[in-house]
């Protein structure tokens, strides 16, 4: 009889131990799941990018004139000659002139005369100078623009709408995580206020508005690929201007 009481007591104690252990495991499992959920939520929280405008050093005395091509010329398909006159500013490999065709990525040239092999099409050439830090000089006279055609193409329609040339960043440019992304551009028009225009610098879903001509540093971008857009916006309607060169999009990568 005593044997059975001892056996039943031991069995009852074992059941209690298993029940308590199971309850403890469930509590620990629930706590771990909650902690994991909290960590996932924290990991998903992404701080917004930080925008800061700045004014690079300018040189209003530097002058750049495009001698060739003349405006509204039509050339045969093939080699098109370009020539420039530069005053009050040096020219060389360390301080080249920049040339953008049809809003494409600007290319550096260390000589004032060269030729480009061009196909049939309508072209807008915008040449500009750089300061010692590699930023575009933005004063009137620091840059020059010409429209021309090749192979009898139809010219751009005549319009006085302002437009942009995006100097930085380049498409697919890669930045270390501790280096700010710099947005640098030329504004070809009268002036933002007099033209009733704003410049929007947009990264993913974050937008920064400029009411004056300046460059912008962007920091606190997460690692990965980001879509950057620079556009001219009508200050009254809030709508993007319709011009051919009123906006640019670049994909950049943060490592």
């Amino acid at each position: 009889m005593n044997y059975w009481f001892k056996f039943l007591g031991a069995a009852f104690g074992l059941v209690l131990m298993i029940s308590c252990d199971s309850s403890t495991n469930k509590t620990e499992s629930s706590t771990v799941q909650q902690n994991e959920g909290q960590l996932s939520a924290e990991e998903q929280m992404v701080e917004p990018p930080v925008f800061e405008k700045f004014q690079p050093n300018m040189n209003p005395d530097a002058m750049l004139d495009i001698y060739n091509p003349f405006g509204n010329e039509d050339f045969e398909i093939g080699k098109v000659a370009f020539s420039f006159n530069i005053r009050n500013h040096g020219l060389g490999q360390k301080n080249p002139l920049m040339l953008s065709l049809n809003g494409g990525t600007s290319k550096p040239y260390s000589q004032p005369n060269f030729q480009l092999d061009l196909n049939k099409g309508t072209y807008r050439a915008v040449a500009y100078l750089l300061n010692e830090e590699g930023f575009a000089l933005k004063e009137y006279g620091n840059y020059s623009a010409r429209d021309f055609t090749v192979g009898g193409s139809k010219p751009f329609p005549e319009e006085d709408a302002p437009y942009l040339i995006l100097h930085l960043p380049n498409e697919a440019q890669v930045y270390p995580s501790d280096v700010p992304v710099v947005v640098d551009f030329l504004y070809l028009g009268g002036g933002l206020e007099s033209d009733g225009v704003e410049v929007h610098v947009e990264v993913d879903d974050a937008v920064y508005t400029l009411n004056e001509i300046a460059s912008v540093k962007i920091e606190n971008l997460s690692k990965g690929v980001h879509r950057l857009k620079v556009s001219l916006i009508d200050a009254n309607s809030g709508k993007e201007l319709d011009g051919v060169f009123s906006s640019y999009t670049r994909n950049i990568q943060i490592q």
Side-chain angles (χ1 to χ4, degrees):
M1 191 71 176
N2 290 335
Y3 173 79
W4 285 106
F5 277 117
K6 291 180 180 180
F7 176 78
L8 290 173
F12 182 75
L14 180 61
V15 170
L16 284 175
M17 290 175 62
I18 293 174
S19 176
C20 291
D21 184 63
S22 175
S23 176
T24 302
N25 287 340
K26 288 180 180 178
T27 302
E28 291 177 352
S29 175
S30 176
T31 302
V32 169
Q33 289 178 356
Q34 289 178 359
N35 289 338
E36 288 179 350
Q38 291 174 357
L39 288 175
S40 298
E42 290 174 359
E43 289 173 353
Q44 291 175 2
M45 290 178 62
V46 179
E47 294 184 4
V50 176
F51 297 88
E52 180 186 359
K53 68 179 177 181
F54 68 100
Q55 293 288 352
N57 294 327
M58 294 290 105
N59 179 9
D61 295 328
M63 301 295 291
L64 172 64
D65 297 312
I66 299 178
Y67 279 179
N68 287 307
F70 297 113
N72 302 317
E73 281 185 286
D74 183 65
F75 297 90
E76 295 183 0
I77 296 173
K79 300 291 184 181
V80 175
F82 288 77
S83 62
F84 303 86
N85 181 45
I86 300 172
R87 290 167 285 170
N88 304 319
H89 191 81
L91 180 64
Q93 291 184 349
K94 293 185 178 180
N95 56 338
L97 70 86
M98 306 297 294
L99 179 65
S100 172
L101 291 180
N102 287 350
T105 298
S106 302
K107 295 183 178 180
Y109 296 90
S110 58
Q111 299 294 328
N113 303 292
F114 51 85
Q115 292 183 332
L116 295 179
D117 196 358
L118 300 179
N119 295 320
K120 181 179 179 178
T122 304
Y123 294 89
R124 175 165 294 175
V126 178
Y128 57 95
L129 302 171
L130 304 179
N131 70 3
E132 64 278 2
E133 298 174 293
F135 298 122
L137 295 180
K138 301 172 176 62
E139 301 283 352
Y140 181 79
N142 294 159
Y143 53 84
S144 187
R146 293 286 187 274
D147 288 351
F148 62 93
T149 58
V150 174
S153 182
K154 185 178 180 181
F156 287 122
E158 292 186 10
E159 59 179 359
D160 295 327
Y163 62 96
L164 294 173
I165 293 295
L166 184 60
H167 173 51
L168 295 173
N170 295 322
E171 173 65 22
Q173 190 163 346
V174 178
Y175 296 84
S177 58
D178 59 345
V179 174
V181 174
V182 173
V183 178
D184 190 44
F185 60 89
L186 285 177
Y187 178 78
L188 290 91
L192 291 183
E193 185 176 359
S194 60
D195 293 337
V197 172
E198 298 173 342
V199 179
H200 282 194
V201 178
E202 180 179 352
V203 179
D204 301 328
D205 295 326
V207 180
Y208 182 73
T209 300
L210 281 171
N211 294 305
E212 60 178 314
I213 304 301
S215 301
V216 178
K217 290 181 182 179
I218 308 174
E219 297 183 290
N220 204 38
L221 290 177
S222 60
K223 293 183 179 180
V225 177
H226 297 268
R227 177 180 178 271
L228 183 146
K229 182 178 181 181
V230 182
S231 52
L232 294 179
I233 306 295
D234 185 288
N236 293 320
S237 67
K239 295 182 179 180
E240 185 177 306
L241 299 190
D242 294 330
V244 180
F245 308 109
S246 62
S247 69
Y248 296 87
T249 300
R250 298 284 189 266
N251 293 298
I252 58 173
Q253 182 174 358
I254 308 298
Q255 289 186 339

